[in-house]
């Protein structure tokens, strides 16, 4: 579980420049890679992203300016290694509703999370297929697509229960050599009722009750 010290909580007023810095898609990607895979040099990140070393180096310096990344311990004296300062970027949805700019940033961030899920799914499937993950991970892995009816209070309680349970399990598994990094993306997006006479939403999937948990 992520402790408060590992969270970067952004305020739309005090951190306006930092929010703007994180609107660049490559910076979001670099920060995510450092959080997921650990410290790396600009050259290593350039290879992974298909960008030039000059580009990744520049964007890492911007992230460092706003305290998202910092220099890590160097393996040698030739090139800087960078690491993420925090494990999670967090914010108050209510505070972010204050301006169009901060609302747009939240929307961009959420879509980046969906892109991360797609990339993680492809990586998971390749790791299973190529034997980098054992078959014991096949059964518990999956994605749920559920549509429960909840009140605002119940949705808040669900987040709290998930946080407590994840903290419990993370603590329990901390020293277990079998533990692996798990991408655990949770989503709770209420939807307003649709007018029966409204046009069909062609962007929505044909089914929303699919479950792929086992």
């Amino acid at each position: 579980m992520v402790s408060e010290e590992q969270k970067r909580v952004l305020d739309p007023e005090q951190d306006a420049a930092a929010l703007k810095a994180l609107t660049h898609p490559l910076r979001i990607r670099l920060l995510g890679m450092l959080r997921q895979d650990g410290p790396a040099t600009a050259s290593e990140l350039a290879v992974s992203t298909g960008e030039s070393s000059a580009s990744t180096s520049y964007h890492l310096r911007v992230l460092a300016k706003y305290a998202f990344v910092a220099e890590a311990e160097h393996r040698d004296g030739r090139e800087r290694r960078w690491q993420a300062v925090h494990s999670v970027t967090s914010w108050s949805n209510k505070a972010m509703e204050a301006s169009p700019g901060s609302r747009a940033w939240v929307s961009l961030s959420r879509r980046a999370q969906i892109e991360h899920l797609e990339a993680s799914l492809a990586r998971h499937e390749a790791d299973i297929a190529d034997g980098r993950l054992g078959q014991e991970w096949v059964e518990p892995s999956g994605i749920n697509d559920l549509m429960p009816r909840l009140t605002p209070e119940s949705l808040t309680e669900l987040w709290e229960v998930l946080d407590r349970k994840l903290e419990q399990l993370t603590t329990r598994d901390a020293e277990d050599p079998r533990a692996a990094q798990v991408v655990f993306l949770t989503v709770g997006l209420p939807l307003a009722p649709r007018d029966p006479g409204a046009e069909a939403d062609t962007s929505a999937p044909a089914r929303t009750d699919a479950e792929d948990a086992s």
Side-chain angles (χ1 to χ4, degrees), residues 173-191:
D173 294 349
E175 304 302 325
D176 193 323
R178 299 173 303 139
Q181 185 180 64
V182 175
V183 175
F184 186 69
L185 183 67
T186 51
V187 180
L189 301 174
L191 304 175

Side-chain angles (χ1 to χ4, degrees), residues 23 46 58 73 109 111-112 131-132 141 147 179 181 190 194 196 200 209:
T23 59
Y58 168 75
E73 182 179 349
S109 178
R111 280 157 178 76
R132 288 184 292 272
S141 303
M147 293 285 285
Q181 185 180 64
R194 280 203 169 276
D209 60 347

Side-chain angles (χ1 to χ4, degrees), residues 37-152:
D37 299 321
T41 66
S43 296
E44 291 168 342
L45 292 168
V47 172
S48 299
T49 59
E51 300 285 337
S52 68
S53 295
S55 178
T56 55
S57 180
Y58 168 75
H59 289 296
L60 286 166
R61 290 197 301 272
V62 174
L63 290 170
K65 177 181 178 180
Y66 295 104
F68 290 107
V69 305
E71 286 193 49
E73 182 179 349
H74 294 200
R75 291 176 179 168
D76 53 49
R78 292 181 297 175
E79 188 173 8
R80 290 178 175 178
R81 289 176 61 78
W82 298 93
Q83 64 184 3
V85 175
H86 305 92
S87 300
V88 170
T89 303
S90 182
W91 60 85
S92 163
N93 286 333
K94 187 174 182 179
M96 289 294 191
E97 280 290 303
S99 72
S102 55
R103 287 198 302 270
W105 185 86
V106 170
S107 180
L108 176 69
S109 178
R110 287 173 173 173
R111 280 157 178 76
Q113 288 175 309
I114 293 173
E115 292 175 2
H116 178 236
L117 175 60
E118 292 178 343
S120 297
L121 174 59
R123 178 172 170 176
H124 164 77
E125 292 173 337
D127 286 344
I128 290 288
D130 296 339
R132 288 184 292 272
L133 281 174
Q135 288 296 302
E136 69 272 16
W137 287 105
V138 172
E139 189 67 22
S141 303
I143 299 173
N144 285 331
D145 182 9
L146 306 175
M147 293 285 285
R149 291 181 60 82
L150 300 172
T151 63

